[in-house]
Amino acid sequence: MAQVTRVTDHGGGVWSIPVPIPDNPLGHTLVHLLDTDRGPVLIDTGWDDPTAWDTLTAGLAACGASVTDVHGVLVTHHHPDHHGLSGQVREASGAWIAMHTADAQVVRRTREAEPSRWLDYLEEKLAAAGAPEEHLAPLRATRASGRTNLPGQRAALPDREIVPGELLDLAGRRLQAIWTPGHTPGHVCLHLEEAHPAAGEGLPGHGRLFSGDHLLPEITPHIGLYEDPDDMTVTDPLGDYLDSLERVAALAPAEVLPAHQYAFTDAPARVRALLDHHEERLAGLLALLTTPLTPWRLAEAMEWNRPWAQIPFGSRNIAVSEAEAHLRRLVKLGRAEAVPGSNPVMYQAI
């Protein structure tokens, strides 16, 4: 059984449990336990994996609880390293699962979608973005083989809705949901409005913020397109994210409890750093777009955590989605435009 060695008591009935993510450089998801008068409530649950499950249950024991005691699960967003074990927790305890309606729709759509429909959509989307034939060929081969196993097809459907701006129904606690779209369309942060346990020691700010992936101390979260093969709405995820950052800064929490890395203070300073980062990145992309480029070529030219040649197949799809999200933002700001008649579509700075 996995051993938990870094369960952290944050005081005031709040703990964090680092639940491992298999084969992922992030290492783990910080699952937070919030004690309530009706029993423990989890904020996220971790990846659907036997080792992760063993770690979560051992971590709950280290916090003085059992998985059978869990009263509810609050999901910050639908990604599998956050929502993966929610169904198993519900089966073990009878807990409810709550999620923002926009991400609940993603879960429902993913469960119901024919894998071939998704593969067709992905191939069409990548071809329109200028992906080369050698990148598209494996998608066609996978579809032809019939061996498809898309992530998220087992994800649990939530049975409660997280409504932004309302206090959640948690006995003895004051926790409010803040809608923070960008990383996903229904991402939420959760603001524990109660006084921070260290408030008497001069710690400035207002309560604590469970920030999911929205606000991390050192990592800039991935912002890609919101994917729905049946919805042609032109969304602006990066614009959503930047607006959401401003909302979180205005809360000025005394401490941020993110889902990765570690807890930190001075959320407004971190927000300013992220806003500056994205402004610099948009300016850098505009410089690249003095020559018309497809989204694929733009992704190749962007700076990543390793050279493009070393980025694996699936991660290249994510990188192109991020390039397209930045292009959407530049177009909306009137700083770039699609080249008329280009196929695959190219973009240029204005």
Side-chain angles (χ1 to χ4, degrees):
M1 177 177 288
Q3 297 297 314
V4 175
T5 58
R6 290 183 291 124
V7 169
T8 301
D9 183 351
H10 296 278
V14 176
W15 291 263
S16 61
I17 305 166
V19 176
I21 311 171
D23 303 317
N24 190 296
L26 279 174
H28 58 261
T29 300
L30 290 172
V31 172
H32 289 94
L33 184 153
L34 178 65
D35 196 18
T36 80
D37 291 348
R38 296 194 189 110
V41 168
L42 297 182
I43 298 172
D44 294 332
T45 55
W47 193 275
D48 183 4
D49 173 80
T51 298
W53 174 255
D54 289 345
T55 304
L56 176 63
T57 55
L60 286 167
C63 297
S66 165
V67 70
T68 58
D69 300 329
V70 175
H71 174 61
V73 175
L74 296 166
V75 183
T76 61
H77 62 295
H78 70 82
H79 286 165
D81 57 321
H82 296 258
H83 181 43
L85 286 172
S86 300
Q88 199 166 342
V89 170
R90 180 165 61 189
E91 290 171 9
S93 64
W96 46 260
I97 301 172
M99 183 185 289
H100 188 281
T101 183
D103 271 21
Q105 289 172 2
V106 175
V107 172
R108 186 172 294 104
R109 184 172 68 239
T110 304
R111 286 171 55 100
E112 296 172 354
E114 287 290 334
S116 59
R117 172 75 178 98
W118 174 256
L119 290 170
D120 287 345
Y121 165 76
L122 187 57
E123 180 187 339
E124 293 166 7
K125 175 178 172 296
L126 287 166
E133 174 60 30
E134 59 264 27
H135 188 84
L136 300 175
L139 289 172
R140 298 193 186 107
T142 299
R143 193 193 190 294
S145 73
R147 296 190 301 271
T148 54
N149 183 23
L150 297 178
Q153 288 181 302
R154 290 178 26 171
L157 284 170
D159 41 68
R160 291 192 183 185
E161 180 183 348
I162 293 178
V163 180
E166 293 186 5
L167 286 175
L168 283 84
D169 182 21
L170 301 180
R173 309 308 300 241
R174 290 188 59 83
L175 188 70
Q176 184 181 89
I178 313 298
W179 184 35
T180 50
H183 186 56
T184 70
H187 190 291
V188 293
C189 294
L190 301 163
H191 186 209
L192 190 62
E193 297 180 342
E194 305 153 17
H196 191 287
E201 301 167 17
L203 182 67
H206 311 286
R208 290 181 277 184
L209 185 75
F210 300 100
S211 65
D213 281 1
H214 182 68
L215 197 61
L216 304 169
E218 297 175 359
I219 298 171
T220 303
H222 164 69
I223 309 296
L225 297 186
Y226 302 146
E227 306 288 8
D228 183 350
D230 300 315
D231 187 351
M232 302 305 291
T233 304
V234 178
T235 57
D236 180 18
L238 182 55
D240 291 344
Y241 178 66
L242 299 176
D243 289 344
S244 300
L245 283 176
E246 300 276 15
R247 257 196 312 279
V248 165
L251 290 173
E255 186 177 30
V256 179
L257 302 174
H260 302 288
Q261 299 190 300
Y262 52 84
F264 63 100
T265 58
D266 202 350
R270 181 60 182 146
V271 166
R272 286 193 299 272
L274 286 165
L275 292 173
D276 290 346
H277 163 79
H278 282 287
E279 188 57 40
E280 291 170 7
R281 193 166 207 196
L282 289 171
L285 298 188
L286 275 178
L288 292 172
L289 292 172
T290 53
T291 300
L293 294 172
T294 64
W296 182 275
R297 291 295 185 193
L298 182 63
E300 285 183 321
M302 291 169 67
E303 288 189 15
W304 305 102
N305 59 1
R306 52 191 148 172
W308 183 260
Q310 297 176 17
I311 297 178
F313 179 89
S315 296
R316 289 188 180 192
N317 296 341
I318 294 171
V320 172
S321 181
E322 185 151 331
E324 290 184 299
H326 281 75
L327 284 167
R328 290 261 182 102
R329 187 67 189 149
L330 288 170
V331 169
K332 186 166 184 178
L333 292 171
R335 296 159 75 178
E337 64 182 1
V339 177
S342 56
N343 185 22
V345 63
M346 293 190 290
Y347 292 84
Q348 62 186 3
I350 298 176

